[in-house]
C-alpha cells in the first residue's frame, strides 16, 4: 500500500464494484421482502389445489412469519461468528431452494414446512443487506444508500399483491414461489463474486437470552395470528400462548439486565436516543404498512368480489407512491431536515388511514387507488430518513 493510500480512512476509500454489490444485495432484499405479501392473493387458489380449510391455510403465512421473526435477532451473532459473506450466501441458497420446494408442494404439510424453511433462511437477508450497504458507502453517502435499501424493502411487499395476482392468473399459484429462483441465483452469484468476507468475532453465544426472546416473539406472533380464529381468550390455545409470551418476556428482560456476561442483545444499544426512537417509529410504520397489505386483498376478493388480477392492480399504486416519495427524498435529503420529512410522511399516512376508515362495500376502485397512493407517499417519506437518523449516532 502506498503512503498516500495509507493516509486515506478506510470508509473513504472507493469500494470496487460498489454498484454490482448494491444490485446483488438489493436482489436478495427485494426477494425476501416480496415474499411477505406475494402469497396473500394466491391463498384461495392454493387452498383449492391442496384441499385445505381456511383455518389450515393461515399456517402458510404464519409459519413463514414466525420463523423469520425468531431467526432475525440471530443474524448479527451468526455474521460475527462465521462471517457476513458466508451467512449471506447460505441464506440466499436456503431461501431459493425453499422457494422451489414451496412451488413443488403437493400437500399442506409440505408447503407449511417449505415456508418454515423460507422464513428461517430468509431472516438474515434484510439485516445483512443493510449492513453491507452501510459498509461499502462512506458516511456522507449513507442517506442515499438507505434510500436505495428502503426502496427495495418497502416496494417489495407493496408490489407483492400485484405481481402475485398476475402470476396466479396467467400461470399458476406455484409461480408465486418459482419467481424467486432466478433472482436468488443472480443474487447468490453476485455476492459470491463481488463481496469480500468480513472480520470474524469470537463472541460467546447467549443461549438463554436467545431462547427466551425466540419463545416470546414466536408465541406472540401465534397469539396475534390465530387469536381471531380461536375467538381470542375463549380458547385454551390463546391462554397458553399469552402465558408463554409473558413469562418469556419477563425472563428475557431480567436476564438482559442482570447477566454479567455478554447478553444476546446489548442494552447499551438502547441508550442511543436516535436508535431507540428509530426502532419505535419503524415498529409503528411497519404495523401500518403490513397490516394494510394483509387486510386489503381478503377485503377486495372475499367481500367486494374482485378477481385476483384486479386486486393486484388496485393495490399497486401504493408502490408507485412509495417510489415517487423515495426519489424526491433521495434528491432533497441533504437539503431538508429529515425530521420535517418524517413529520410530513406521518401526516400523509394518518390521512390515508382516516380515508380507509370510510371504506364501504359499494365503493369503486378510486377509493382504494387514491388512498393507497397517499399512503405509499407517506410511508416513503418516513422510511428513508428514519433509517438514516437511526444509525447516524
Amino acid at each position: 500500500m502506498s503512503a498516500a493510500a495509507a493516509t486515506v480512512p478506510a470508509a473513504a476509500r472507493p469500494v470496487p464494484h460498489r454498484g454490482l454489490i448494491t444490485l446483488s444485495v438489493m436482489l436478495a432484499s427485494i426477494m425476501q421482502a416480496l415474499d411477505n405479501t406475494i402469497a396473500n392473493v394466491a391463498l384461495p387458489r392454493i387452498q383449492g389445489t391442496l384441499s385445505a380449510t381456511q383455518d389450515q391455510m393461515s399456517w402458510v403465512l404464519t409459519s413463514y412469519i414466525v420463523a423469520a421473526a425468531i431467526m432475525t435477532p440471530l443474524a448479527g451473532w451468526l455474521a460475527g461468528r462465521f462471517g457476513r459473506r458466508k451467512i449471506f450466501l447460505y441464506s440466499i441458497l436456503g431461501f431459493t431452494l425453499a422457494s422451489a420446494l414451496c412451488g413443488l408442494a403437493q400437500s399442506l404439510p409440505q408447503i407449511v414446512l417449505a415456508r418454515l424453511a423460507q422464513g428461517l433462511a430468509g431472516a438474515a437477508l434484510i439485516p445483512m443487506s443493510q449492513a453491507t450497504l452501510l459498509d461499502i458507502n462512506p458516511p456522507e453517502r449513507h442517506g442515499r444508500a438507505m434510500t436505495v435499501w428502503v426502496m427495495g424493502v418497502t416496494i417489495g411487499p407493496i408490489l407483492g399483491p400485484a405481481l402475485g395476482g398476475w402470476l396466479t392468473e396467467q400461470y399458476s399459484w406455484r409461480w408465486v414461489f418459482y419467481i424467486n429462483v432466478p433472482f436468488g441465483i443472480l443474487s447468490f452469484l453476485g455476492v459470491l463474486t463481488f463481496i469480500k468476507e468480513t472480520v470474524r468475532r469470537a463472541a460467546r453465544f447467549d443461549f438463554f437470552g436467545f431462547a427466551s426472546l425466540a419463545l416470546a416473539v414466536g408465541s406472540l406472533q401465534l397469539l396475534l395470528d390465530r387469536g381471531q380464529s380461536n375467538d381470542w381468550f375463549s380458547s385454551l390455545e390463546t391462554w397458553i400462548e399469552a402465558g408463554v409470551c409473558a413469562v418469556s418476556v419477563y425472563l428475557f428482560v431480567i436476564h438482559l439486565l442482570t447477566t454479567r456476561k455478554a447478553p444476546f442483545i446489548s442494552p447499551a444499544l438502547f441508550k442511543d436516543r436516535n436508535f431507540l426512537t428509530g426502532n419505535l417509529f419503524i415498529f409503528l410504520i411497519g404495523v401500518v404498512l403490513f397490516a394494510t397489505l394483509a387486510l386489503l386483498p381478503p377485503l377486495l376478493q372475499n367481500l367486494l368480489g374482485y378477481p385476483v388480477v384486479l386486486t393486484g392492480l388496485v393495490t399497486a399504486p401504493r408502490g408507485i407512491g412509495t417510489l415517487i416519495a423515495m426519489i424526491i427524498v433521495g434528491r432533497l435529503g441533504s437539503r431538508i431536515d429529515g425530521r420535517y420529512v418524517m413529520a410530513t410522511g406521518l401526516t400523509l399516512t394518518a390521512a390515508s388511514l382516516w380515508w380507509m376508515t370510510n371504506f364501504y362495500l359499494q365503493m369503486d376502485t378510486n377509493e382504494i387507488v387514491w388512498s393507497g397512493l397517499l399512503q405509499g407517499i407517506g410511508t416513503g417519506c418516513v422510511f428513508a430518513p428514519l433509517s438514516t437518523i437511526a444509525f447516524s449516532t
Side-chain angles (χ1 to χ4, degrees), residues 5 10 27 39 41 56 93 241 312 325 354 390:
L27 279 174
V41 296
Q56 290 172 329
L93 181 62
E241 290 160 355
W354 179 258

Side-chain angles (χ1 to χ4, degrees), residues 89-108:
L89 288 171
Y90 281 133
S91 296
I92 295 170
L93 181 62
F95 189 86
T96 305
L97 291 174
S99 297
L101 291 174
C102 286
L104 294 169
Q106 300 298 317
S107 66
L108 182 68

Side-chain angles (χ1 to χ4, degrees), residues 294-356:
L295 293 172
L296 266 181
L299 167 69
L300 299 178
Q301 291 185 74
N302 300 337
L303 297 181
L304 274 69
Y306 282 25
V308 66
V309 173
L310 184 58
T311 298
L313 289 175
V314 297
T315 54
R318 183 176 278 100
I320 297 172
T322 301
L323 183 60
I324 292 171
M326 293 292 184
I327 294 172
I328 295 173
V329 170
R331 291 183 178 276
L332 301 179
S334 59
R335 305 175 192 174
I336 303 176
D337 191 326
R339 294 172 297 178
Y340 297 138
V341 178
M342 289 168 53
T344 302
L346 290 169
T347 303
L348 294 176
T349 303
S352 71
L353 291 172
W354 179 258
W355 192 342
M356 290 178 187

Side-chain angles (χ1 to χ4, degrees), residues 221-305:
Q221 181 61 50
L222 284 171
L223 185 155
L224 295 174
D225 196 68
R226 294 179 51 78
Q228 184 177 6
S229 59
N230 290 334
D231 197 20
W232 296 107
F233 287 96
S234 299
S235 165
L236 177 62
E237 178 188 330
T238 303
W239 279 105
I240 293 173
E241 290 160 355
V244 171
C245 180
V247 172
S248 300
V249 168
Y250 173 78
L251 292 175
F252 176 74
V253 172
I254 296 300
H255 175 74
L256 187 72
L257 298 176
T258 60
T259 183
R260 295 180 180 180
K261 298 180 180 179
F264 182 66
I265 294 177
S266 173
L269 282 173
F270 302 100
K271 293 179 181 179
D272 187 291
R273 188 175 64 180
N274 279 3
F275 182 76
L276 176 61
T277 308
N279 274 275
L280 293 174
F281 270 87
I282 210 73
F283 171 77
L284 294 174
I285 295 300
V287 168
V288 170
L289 175 64
F290 288 104
T292 305
L293 292 171
L295 293 172
L296 266 181
L299 167 69
L300 299 178
Q301 291 185 74
N302 300 337
L303 297 181
L304 274 69

Side-chain angles (χ1 to χ4, degrees), residues 113-235:
L113 288 174
R115 288 284 284 173
L116 188 70
Q118 255 193 327
L120 293 173
L125 295 180
I126 296 293
M128 292 298 100
S129 63
Q130 187 179 36
T132 301
L133 288 180
L134 289 172
D135 275 356
I136 66 173
N137 287 280
E140 63 270 15
R141 290 176 58 94
H142 280 182
R144 185 174 298 179
M146 285 301 95
T147 299
V148 173
W149 179 79
V150 170
M151 284 176 67
V153 173
T154 55
I155 289 178
I158 286 170
L159 294 183
L163 181 59
W166 183 79
L167 289 171
T168 302
E169 189 69 24
Q170 296 297 319
Y171 299 99
S172 162
W173 64 263
R174 298 182 185 278
W175 280 95
V176 166
F177 301 107
Y178 289 150
I179 192 68
N180 288 330
V181 176
F183 292 110
I185 293 172
L186 289 173
S187 179
F188 181 89
L189 293 175
V191 172
L192 182 66
T193 305
F194 301 115
I195 294 183
K196 295 181 180 180
E197 188 57 276
T198 55
V199 177
R200 300 181 185 181
R201 303 186 306 272
R204 168 187 169 272
F205 182 64
D206 180 13
F207 181 81
F208 185 86
F210 169 71
S212 56
L213 180 62
L215 277 174
V217 172
S219 56
L220 177 62
Q221 181 61 50
L222 284 171
L223 185 155
L224 295 174
D225 196 68
R226 294 179 51 78
Q228 184 177 6
S229 59
N230 290 334
D231 197 20
W232 296 107
F233 287 96
S234 299
S235 165

